[in-house]
Amino acid sequence: MTDDAAAPICLARPLPGPGDDPAGGCAAARAVDGRPLHAAALKFFWGPMDCGKSTMALQMNYNHARQGRRGLVTTRIDRSLGPQVTTRIGLAHSAIEVTDDLDLRDLVRDAWAEGVRVDYLICDEASFYNLEHVEQMADLVDNFDVDVYAFGLATDFRSCLFPAAQRLFELADEVARIQVEVLCWCGREGLLNARVVEGRVVREGEQVVIGDTVDTADVRYQVLCRRHYRSGDLGPRG
Ligand SMILES: [Zn+2]
């Protein structure tokens, strides 16, 4: 069987043209029970640092592209310099940098206007987006029939939800914890992202401070189990 033969039925829908309903013909196509044949979805995949979120984002992009779907990849405050999604295991993909005044709906509309098909968005580092971006994601799903797959941290270094992550938990059709386990130094499952400055866990400060998980960074992050996050114990090598 070829990839084309395996493509979902909805891929056959025509590109929306000027003046068309942005959802195209697909939203109107209904099964006999009245449900839409293709229901776009907003999915949020979350996990601590280093759990492979960006790797999964790129893998998902690859899998969808293989099936003939076309998507855009967005990111914010990636570790690297240019706008791209990078992963711990060396994969990289160019990405659109999400700024405060970027409207994700305009991004899709502009692409469509240029004849570029957009079936889905992969939104990496979504916890760093603002609340309007999350509302725009929901709009893209509900009114444009575009799938949105968001990847990000749930909680910050204080173990409090990022606002965008909280909104994604509230609005997403599906929420999934990424199943690649990151272990605390003690061997328990790593759950929380500790910010470490001069060898100590800090619990106050700006919500977003760029750091890394390598030992030599001025500000670094270490994934800990809840017990050691709460006690601030970085382990024998901390
Ligand atoms: Zn531990």
Side-chain angles (χ1 to χ4, degrees), residues 5 7-8 18 25 35 44-45 61 68 83 98 107 114-115 123 148 150 152 178-179 181 193 198 203 205 212 218 231:
R35 291 191 304 168
F44 179 41
F45 301 92
N61 186 48
V98 174
L107 190 68
E114 291 170 14
C123 299
V148 179
I178 291 176
Q179 293 300 313
E181 284 191 4
N193 309 290
E198 293 176 354
R203 301 180 194 278
D212 210 328
D218 290 338
S231 66

Side-chain angles (χ1 to χ4, degrees), residues 24-25 34 60 77 86 107 110 134 143 150 165 180 183 198 230-231 236:
M60 182 169 276
I77 327 178
T86 57
L107 190 68
D110 290 350
V134 181
N143 299 322
V180 179
L183 299 182
E198 293 176 354
R230 296 183 74 231
S231 66

Side-chain angles (χ1 to χ4, degrees), residues 183-189 224-229 233:
L183 299 182
C184 179
W185 58 268
C186 69
R188 291 187 185 87
E189 188 175 346
L224 296 171
C225 69
R226 182 181 60 242
R227 176 182 307 214
H228 289 129
Y229 172 84
D233 187 344

Side-chain angles (χ1 to χ4, degrees), residues 207-223:
Q207 185 168 47
V208 177
V209 172
I210 305 293
D212 210 328
T213 53
V214 296
D215 290 351
T216 51
D218 290 338
V219 175
R220 69 178 181 91
Y221 292 90
Q222 184 170 336
V223 178

